[in-house]
Amino acid sequence: MTQDPRGTKQANVASRFADFPFHFWILVVLTGIVAGIGAIVMMAILHGIQHLSFQYHKGEFSTAVAHHSNLRRVLVLASGGFISGVGLWIMHKNKAGTGGEPTQVVWQRSGKLSFVRTFLSGALSELTVGTGGSLGREAAPQRFGAASAAVFGRRFNLSLEQRAVLIACGAGAGIGAVYNVPLAGAIFAVELYLGTVSIPIVLSAITTSSIATAIGWLGLHDRPLYVVPSLTKPTLSLIIFAIIAGPIIGLVSVLYIKSIVWANDHKAKGRSLLVLPLIIFAGLGVISIKYPLLLGNGRDLAQFAFTKTNGLAIFAILAVLKPLVTSACLRSGATGGLFTPTLSFGVTTGAFLGHLWILMWPGSAPAAYVVVTGGAILGAAMQSPIAGIAFIIELTGNVTGIMVPIMLATAGATLISRHLELRSIYSSRLSLSESQKPSDNTIQ
């Protein structure tokens, strides 16, 4: 069993944050502002690429794609894979790489985040998603926020630990802004990145994420991302489902994490970046002729699972195909996020399990099972159960009516997942040598 890369370093870290200097709090505010602006910029790049690729303006991306010929779909995806591969090959050819990995910098207190290279690699990831690649759009704004914080921390000579906090908060603010989930973004920074709680840390995360989200409202959405029926008091059927399904969801999450590990360990490097992304993305284009919901980060697929009330077979097929094509895109060497692909896989699995359960014990709306399972898979796959619960609540706009079953399912899923696999979808993307390398105490 692989050790959690956050290691034991977090155990006593809170005591070192007792006194933050005044200028640290100024930088917290600046980080929130810049992270919000970065989210707007990265989404503008994404929407521009989607428009050029398939004349997409608004609504569902998969619908816009369906209005074009099958040949165009395959050619656009192949072109996106090729351009992304060439760009990454050029960046990797230079020893500075693609800008650095925020999670590694925070967890190991080492490494470097380059703002310029992070911006360029973020633009490439949006190209990947914008042409239809099955990866998440949140990687770019998350890294933009983290890299901005790294620049501020370096310029104003913050201590090693203060820089780590600021970088984590910048990353959480980026994801909070792009999905309009300020609370979940803050918890993401505290629970997943820092793994420890103290008042200064929590205040830093809340401040950056709320500011970034408010800035994001100027150019992004200001409502819950998904349209989900209002869910009232849970039934006994739903609560029993949550208790029974939790461990099953945990096992499914472990398999999903291992697929991400495999894809990362075998991802294209060197000159294979000039060929493999083109082939894999063209293959995705062929598959999408029959299953267009597989294209993009998974937002359309998730909305489909939340609202469609029948179709057991199609839910089963999509729940299998989505993680496979996501792993294949990572295997190609392409860069991108994993949050929405994981969510879409989770809610599609939830739709399948929920419809099976309803056949045995009806009582709750199908969307209730989808929300419960989606939150549980997020929590288990990220190894951050509180963040998973917060994300599903803010993304769907459902709170008290579904809270207890979400918590029960997430607890069971995360317990099983963590017992069998300590890595998460984020730590699994670090190489073994990186995740086990001792800190050189240099956050740059």
Side-chain angles (χ1 to χ4, degrees), residues 32-375:
I33 294 172
V34 174
I37 294 172
I40 294 174
V41 170
M42 288 302 180
M43 290 307 98
I45 293 174
L46 171 64
H47 294 149
I49 293 169
Q50 289 176 323
H51 176 70
L52 289 174
S53 299
F54 298 107
Q55 281 74 57
Y56 171 77
H57 296 284
K58 60 181 180 179
E60 294 188 344
F61 177 65
S62 56
T63 301
V65 173
H67 289 157
H68 297 277
S69 68
N70 296 336
L71 177 61
R72 179 180 179 124
R73 189 179 314 186
V74 175
L75 289 177
V76 167
L77 274 154
S79 299
F82 177 71
I83 296 171
S84 176
V86 170
L88 290 170
W89 177 73
I90 293 172
M91 296 185 76
H92 282 298
K93 199 172 181 182
N94 186 304
K95 292 182 179 180
T98 58
E101 178 59 50
T103 49
Q104 182 193 351
V105 168
V106 173
W107 291 342
Q108 316 304 307
R109 306 295 192 268
S110 63
K112 181 178 181 179
L113 286 175
S114 165
F115 182 83
V116 173
R117 287 182 171 274
T118 296
F119 180 85
L120 292 175
S121 63
L124 283 177
S125 74
E126 300 300 10
L127 169 70
T128 298
V129 179
T131 54
S134 180
L135 292 169
R137 63 178 182 169
E138 86 286 348
Q142 182 185 161
R143 294 187 179 192
F144 189 103
S148 301
V151 171
F152 291 145
R154 183 169 63 249
R155 186 66 57 88
F156 289 90
N157 296 316
L158 292 181
S159 71
L160 182 69
E161 302 298 347
Q162 290 164 3
R163 291 190 200 184
V165 172
L166 197 63
I167 291 170
C169 291
I175 198 170
V178 78
Y179 289 130
N180 188 32
V181 288
L183 178 59
I187 296 174
F188 182 83
V190 174
E191 187 179 24
L192 188 140
Y193 267 86
L194 295 169
T196 188
V197 176
S198 71
I199 291 178
I201 291 175
V202 171
L203 291 178
S204 303
I206 290 174
T207 302
T208 51
S209 188
S210 59
I211 291 174
T213 303
I215 295 292
W217 292 339
L218 300 176
L220 306 173
H221 50 85
D222 57 359
R223 298 176 299 278
L225 190 64
Y226 296 104
V227 179
V228 179
S230 179
L231 302 174
T232 57
K233 184 178 179 179
T235 63
L236 179 61
S237 172
L238 181 60
I239 292 175
I240 299 301
F241 169 83
I243 294 172
I244 295 175
I248 299 172
I249 295 167
L251 291 173
V252 170
S253 299
V254 169
L255 295 175
Y256 178 65
I257 293 170
K258 289 186 179 297
S259 73
I260 300 301
V261 172
W262 177 87
N264 180 75
D265 290 346
H266 296 84
K267 64 183 178 182
K269 298 178 182 178
R271 293 188 177 182
S272 60
L273 282 168
L274 303 177
V275 178
L276 198 58
L278 185 154
I279 295 174
I280 288 178
F281 278 68
L284 173 58
V286 173
I287 296 173
S288 72
I289 293 173
K290 185 170 180 62
Y291 302 107
L293 287 171
L294 295 175
L295 293 179
N297 66 342
R299 179 179 177 180
D300 292 354
L301 176 56
Q303 186 61 65
F304 175 80
F306 282 128
T307 54
K308 188 171 177 60
T309 57
N310 53 53
L312 197 61
I314 190 63
F315 287 136
I317 292 170
L318 293 173
V320 171
L321 288 180
K322 186 59 178 179
L324 289 179
V325 298
T326 299
S327 296
C329 289
L330 285 177
R331 168 70 175 85
S332 76
T335 180
L338 286 172
F339 177 82
T340 306
T342 302
L343 174 65
S344 63
F345 162 58
V347 297
T348 309
T349 302
F352 173 73
L353 294 176
H355 281 77
L356 276 181
W357 185 262
I358 289 172
L359 294 176
M360 298 182 291
W361 188 353
S364 292
Y369 302 96
V370 178
V371 172
V372 166
T373 306

